[in-house]
Amino acid sequence: MIISHKHRFIFIKTKKTAGTSLEVFLSQHCGDRDVVTPISPPVPPHQPQNHEGYFNPLPEIFFRYQDGRNLKPVFEKLQKRERFYNHLPGYLIRTRVSRSVWQNYFKFCVERNPWDKTISFYYMLQRSRRDPEFTFDDYLALGNFCLNYPYYMDAEGKKVIVDRVLHYENLNQELAEVFDQLGIPFDGSLGVWAKSNNRKDRRPYQEFYTAEQRDRVTEAFQKEIELHGYQF
């Protein structure tokens, strides 16, 4: 994620939506006071800065307690002074910046067609597991879906709290509009596509799915489908 005081924006990083490539591009236009969180593995010329510091852990403790989630990660990040970090949800960013920054900075992120996004996430997971026998059905059975709406909605998942959700399928055109608004030079391309070598099967996603697999993803991503009008 990036908080730019120079250009007055907050970029919230979602999963499998060219987020790393966007961070690399945006980091080159940041000022000395801007917050740039680390990415792993590092991608030059991206350079993290100003992301460390103590924070009030109570909001995250409350949100996690309400959902019955493990509280240990909150205390680990507090101990490590990880005030801002990769894939920090917007509702937590709101608790860690001033009210003026949250209200007046342009907040944006990117979303992606769930059936296409799921295939990309599967191949990333297969590579990280180093298990070529890990099938798509194995992945679907895990239920570990790449849901992005928690990053750009409030903690209850009821309201979108960013100013704009860009569409991965039309990314360069929509980025041109946003960057023109923010005063960031853009020639129509980010110039880097990080982590793009995970996916082996480049067929159109419609050819990838069985009917049962399609319906499983449809069920899992119902909220995102309704929010953005995605169709298979």
Side-chain angles (χ1 to χ4, degrees):
M1 61 153 290
I2 292 178
I3 303 172
S4 175
H5 303 295
K6 178 181 178 180
H7 293 285
R8 297 173 64 83
F9 72 79
I10 299 175
F11 169 63
I12 298 172
K13 186 178 181 181
T14 51
K15 295 179 180 178
K16 305 312 296 177
T17 56
T20 298
S21 300
L22 251 170
E23 283 183 311
V24 174
F25 175 85
L26 288 171
S27 68
Q28 299 173 71
H29 298 276
C30 285
D32 293 339
R33 295 175 51 244
D34 293 353
V35 174
V36 180
T37 59
I39 55 177
S40 181
V43 181
H46 177 277
Q47 184 65 44
Q49 61 180 32
N50 304 324
H51 56 90
E52 296 178 324
Y54 291 112
F55 58 92
N56 177 10
L58 294 180
E60 187 166 1
I61 290 172
F62 174 77
F63 297 139
R64 284 181 169 270
Y65 179 78
Q66 290 288 96
D67 292 342
R69 288 186 288 167
N70 185 9
L71 300 179
K72 184 178 179 181
V74 184
F75 299 107
E76 289 178 343
K77 292 189 180 299
L78 184 62
Q79 184 179 27
K80 296 177 182 178
R81 300 177 66 246
E82 293 183 20
R83 182 182 182 189
F84 300 107
Y85 53 86
N86 213 5
H87 297 302
L88 181 65
Y91 65 85
L92 288 178
I93 297 174
R94 182 166 57 182
T95 70
R96 300 183 189 183
V97 298
S98 69
R99 178 175 296 183
S100 175
V101 165
W102 181 260
Q103 290 180 344
N104 296 305
Y105 284 23
F106 182 78
K107 301 169 288 292
F108 71 102
C109 65
V110 183
E111 186 54 282
R112 184 176 183 177
N113 176 295
W115 297 279
D116 189 36
K117 178 172 59 174
T118 297
I119 297 173
S120 181
F121 192 72
Y122 156 66
Y123 276 116
M124 182 191 72
L125 193 61
Q126 184 191 61
R127 181 171 181 171
S128 69
R129 292 167 65 105
R130 299 180 182 179
D131 181 7
E133 303 302 319
F134 182 66
T135 69
F136 190 56
D137 280 324
D138 292 335
Y139 163 68
L140 294 179
L142 289 177
N144 180 23
F145 292 104
C146 185
L147 297 171
N148 279 333
Y149 75 86
Y151 294 106
Y152 53 82
M153 299 190 76
D154 60 21
E156 293 76 28
K158 295 180 179 179
K159 181 182 179 181
V160 174
I161 58 175
V162 300
D163 298 300
R164 183 164 179 179
V165 179
L166 283 66
H167 300 92
Y168 179 88
E169 297 76 21
N170 193 33
L171 188 57
N172 283 338
Q173 181 177 331
E174 296 189 23
L175 282 176
E177 297 170 0
V178 168
F179 291 162
D180 181 63
Q181 174 184 340
L182 297 173
I184 297 175
F186 183 61
D187 64 3
S189 173
L190 294 174
V192 59
W193 287 99
K195 302 181 181 180
S196 61
N197 59 346
N198 289 324
R199 186 165 175 171
K200 301 174 183 177
D201 192 328
R202 296 290 178 175
R203 289 178 295 166
Y205 68 84
Q206 294 93 336
E207 298 178 11
F208 188 93
Y209 283 88
T210 66
E212 183 178 356
Q213 292 169 341
R214 177 200 63 202
D215 292 345
R216 180 73 180 95
V217 172
T218 301
E219 178 185 11
F221 287 88
Q222 194 60 46
K223 183 182 286 288
E224 292 178 8
I225 292 170
E226 292 176 356
L227 276 173
H228 306 289
Y230 287 118
Q231 297 181 357
F232 184 77

